[in-house]
Amino acid sequence: MNISSGQTALITGASRGIGRAAAECFARAGYSLVLTCERSMDALRAWAEELSAKYNISCLALQADMGNEEDVQALFSQIHRLDVLVNNAGIAHMGLLSQMTSREWRRIMAVNLDSCFYTCRAAVPLMLQKHSGRIINVSSVWGIHGASMEVAYSASKGGMNAFTKALAKELAPSGIAVNAICCGVIDTEMNACLSSEDLEALRADIPADRLGTPHEVAQLILQTAQAPAYMTGQIITIDGGWY
């Protein structure tokens, strides 16, 4: 069933994990899609072709480093209408803050936080044309609670949460809703750096007794995109009751 009524969604970081799952959820709902990734373009193009054929939608795969202002500008030069922006692209870094380089810090901030500024700045004028739109930022519980050994990542997601709340207030009079999906431990490649013992310890702390799935997060992203515009400025947690 085509719920979108011809709407277009941009999903960043869509070659794997949450972004890939979100692309299928939106495709199934009838959205036209623009999907991005930085490195895995062969996989993203194949995924876009599969979604286009399976769901009879337009699906464009484009390469972009979302932490690079010029890349984002080039991306938006190819987008002429936009109803939903999903800021999903992100990277993690684990290690002691005292051993982190300035370059590593800036890279985390660029991809996880600066990217939201670049995409939203470009997307808002397109949404203002119709006095409607949805911006959804994929965040983390670490942005609220903080994580040892992940100070930069936690700071970037905390910044994303504050960005979400502030931009929501700015855009509410224009009918554009801005919300964040605050993820707990989700079973994605981003957690591949964790040992089986670490993952088991995390699972034991989660009341749901398991990690979340990318599809569950993707479903919530779609539901948030289709929620009333009056729901804005929210940091929506999906963590199996963890926090």
Side-chain angles (χ1 to χ4, degrees):
M1 179 172 63
N2 189 328
I3 304 173
S4 75
S5 301
Q7 293 190 326
T8 299
L10 166 62
I11 303 172
T12 69
S15 64
R16 61 183 184 177
I18 292 170
R20 179 182 172 92
E24 180 153 34
C25 278
F26 277 82
R28 186 182 297 113
Y31 287 77
S32 296
L33 297 177
V34 179
L35 309 179
T36 78
C37 75
E38 183 183 1
R39 296 187 180 90
S40 305
M41 280 307 298
D42 288 344
L44 186 64
R45 289 191 189 98
W47 185 228
E49 291 174 4
E50 182 178 338
L51 292 176
S52 180
K54 184 176 181 179
Y55 296 106
N56 192 30
I57 59 155
S58 169
C59 191
L60 182 63
L62 297 173
Q63 186 169 13
D65 173 359
M66 303 310 297
N68 181 286
E69 184 175 8
E70 289 73 24
D71 275 20
V72 177
Q73 289 173 341
L75 168 67
F76 272 87
S77 71
Q78 302 177 69
I79 301 174
H80 305 294
R81 62 163 293 174
L82 189 65
D83 301 282
V84 179
L85 167 62
V86 180
N87 280 314
N88 170 71
I91 57 175
H93 177 92
M94 185 169 290
L96 294 171
L97 180 69
S98 59
Q99 297 176 356
M100 189 176 196
T101 67
S102 297
R103 185 173 182 176
E104 289 170 335
W105 173 274
R106 280 305 323 152
R107 183 60 182 162
I108 289 282
M109 293 301 164
V111 176
N112 293 0
L113 184 55
D114 294 356
S115 61
C116 292
F117 163 58
Y118 299 144
T119 57
C120 290
R121 181 177 61 179
V124 167
L126 297 175
M127 294 178 176
L128 286 174
Q129 293 174 9
K130 299 199 307 178
H131 203 76
S132 68
R134 300 290 186 274
I135 296 171
I136 302 164
N137 299 319
V138 179
S139 187
S140 166
V141 294
W142 294 149
I144 299 173
H145 303 284
S148 174
M149 305 288 286
E150 294 188 71
V151 174
Y153 181 79
S154 299
S156 69
K157 294 302 185 179
M160 177 186 278
N161 292 344
F163 179 98
T164 297
K165 286 181 170 291
L167 188 60
K169 292 179 178 179
E170 186 172 313
L171 296 179
S174 300
I176 301 169
V178 188
N179 295 288
I181 305 300
C182 201
C183 300
V185 186
I186 309 301
D187 189 12
T188 67
E189 290 182 31
M190 186 175 283
N191 291 316
C193 61
L194 298 174
S195 68
S196 57
E197 292 79 8
D198 288 338
L199 286 173
E200 177 59 25
L202 284 172
R203 184 203 60 75
D205 282 341
I206 299 170
D209 198 35
R210 64 177 177 85
L211 276 60
T213 69
H215 181 66
E216 288 173 314
V217 180
Q219 286 180 304
L220 182 55
I221 292 171
L222 178 62
Q223 289 167 357
T224 303
Q226 296 175 343
Y230 202 66
M231 190 187 85
T232 190
Q234 302 306 300
I235 311 299
I236 306 164
T237 299
I238 176 168
D239 68 355
W242 192 22
Y243 280 104

